[in-house]
Amino acid sequence: MRLVLLDLDGTMYDREAPVAGAAEAVEALRAGGFAVGFFTNTDSQSAASMLARARARGVPAAPGDVFTPVTAAQRYLGESARVLLLANAAVRGDLAAFCTLTSADVTHVIIGDCHEILTFDLLDAAFRAVRAGAELIALQRGRYTRNADGDHLDTGAVVAAVEYAAEVEARLLGKPSVDFLRLAAGDATEVWVVGDDRSTDIAMANAGGARSVQVRTGKYADQLGRDDLPVPAYTIDSVVDLPGLLSC
């Protein structure tokens, strides 16, 4: 199977507005024999709400097409997993089958956007479970997030607290983790990763053996001249040019 994984924000839409011609490009890829999926590092919404958000911005996605760190966690966890989850209610619904209400016999501690529920007791329970042998998983590692009312701590800051106290390193299931790419790609034999961010999209593709394509939308202009970031195999003006690159 030939698979194209398309970043959402900055690639399919930019500042909430659809990139002109993006939806038609996706249909051309599908007509050319490629499976198409979409990926995002968002760890604060359920799969259903992310799908609705993408569709509202013109993305021609069906159920199962949008891959998030929460989706990665669902695929990563085994049936016997007992998860202590630090995440908001929307994400908890997607991972409910794995969650435990106690800190006993926890096999995994998963940290996502937990600003709605975070308390010292919950953070301490996560630390104690990891010290007892549970695997620490980060849905993403953002340091801070920008909201309308200013900057706020993001998931990575909470993960760092548990890492520091327990003296472990969390497994990352969001971008730019190769695990994220592997879980999203499944059995595909040819994988193209298309995004605007060299520090996440391109870094993940290059490290995971996928073919990396950067678009000149989204964060592209912000990263011009950055010699410290990975270099894409291909650069195109926008996702509209992708079918031509892949000869669809």
Side-chain angles (χ1 to χ4, degrees):
M1 181 178 70
R2 299 188 299 169
L3 173 66
V4 175
L5 291 173
L6 296 166
D7 176 45
L8 286 174
D9 197 359
T11 302
M12 290 299 297
Y13 46 84
D14 200 357
R15 298 186 185 275
E16 306 301 322
V19 170
E24 291 79 4
V26 170
E27 298 305 337
L29 292 169
R30 288 170 173 158
F34 285 88
V36 178
F38 306 94
F39 64 91
T40 174
N41 241 13
T42 300
D43 67 336
S44 59
Q45 298 185 43
S46 67
S49 63
M50 277 306 307
L51 175 62
R53 186 173 188 267
R55 283 176 164 174
R57 286 155 181 78
V59 179
D65 286 347
V66 178
F67 195 82
T68 76
V70 179
T71 316
Q74 289 174 318
R75 297 189 183 181
Y76 177 75
L77 295 169
E79 292 183 0
S80 60
R82 288 177 54 83
V83 174
L84 179 61
L85 179 63
L86 279 66
N88 64 24
V91 170
R92 181 171 293 276
D94 279 359
L95 296 175
F98 304 102
C99 291
T100 176
L101 297 177
T102 73
S103 56
D105 301 321
V106 172
T107 60
H108 301 78
V109 171
I110 297 181
I111 300 179
D113 181 351
C114 55
H115 74 276
E116 296 176 352
I117 63 163
L118 186 62
T119 64
F120 178 83
D121 286 345
L122 185 57
L123 192 62
D124 197 46
F127 158 70
R128 290 166 62 88
V130 172
R131 279 283 296 269
E135 181 179 21
L136 178 62
I137 294 175
L139 294 184
Q140 51 107 339
R141 297 194 65 110
R143 290 185 174 90
Y144 65 93
T145 181
R146 291 184 175 180
N147 295 345
D149 62 345
D151 296 346
H152 297 271
L153 287 175
D154 202 0
T155 299
V158 182
V159 173
V162 179
E163 286 181 320
Y164 179 77
E167 298 182 272
V168 301
E169 182 176 350
R171 178 184 292 274
L172 176 63
L173 289 187
K175 296 185 294 181
S177 166
V178 173
D179 283 334
F180 185 84
L181 175 59
R182 175 179 58 82
L183 291 164
D187 296 329
T189 55
E190 178 185 329
V191 181
W192 294 77
V193 172
V194 185
D196 65 310
D197 192 340
R198 288 161 58 196
S199 69
T200 55
D201 307 323
I202 305 307
M204 179 182 71
N206 290 355
R211 302 178 187 187
S212 57
V213 183
Q214 186 181 24
V215 291
R216 294 189 180 98
T217 52
K219 295 180 180 178
Y220 173 82
D222 296 341
Q223 297 178 346
L224 282 175
R226 290 281 303 272
D227 295 332
D228 58 319
L229 295 177
V231 177
Y234 304 91
T235 303
I236 56 178
D237 285 340
S238 79
V239 68
V240 173
D241 300 313
L242 189 61
L245 177 65
L246 276 56
S247 300
C248 294

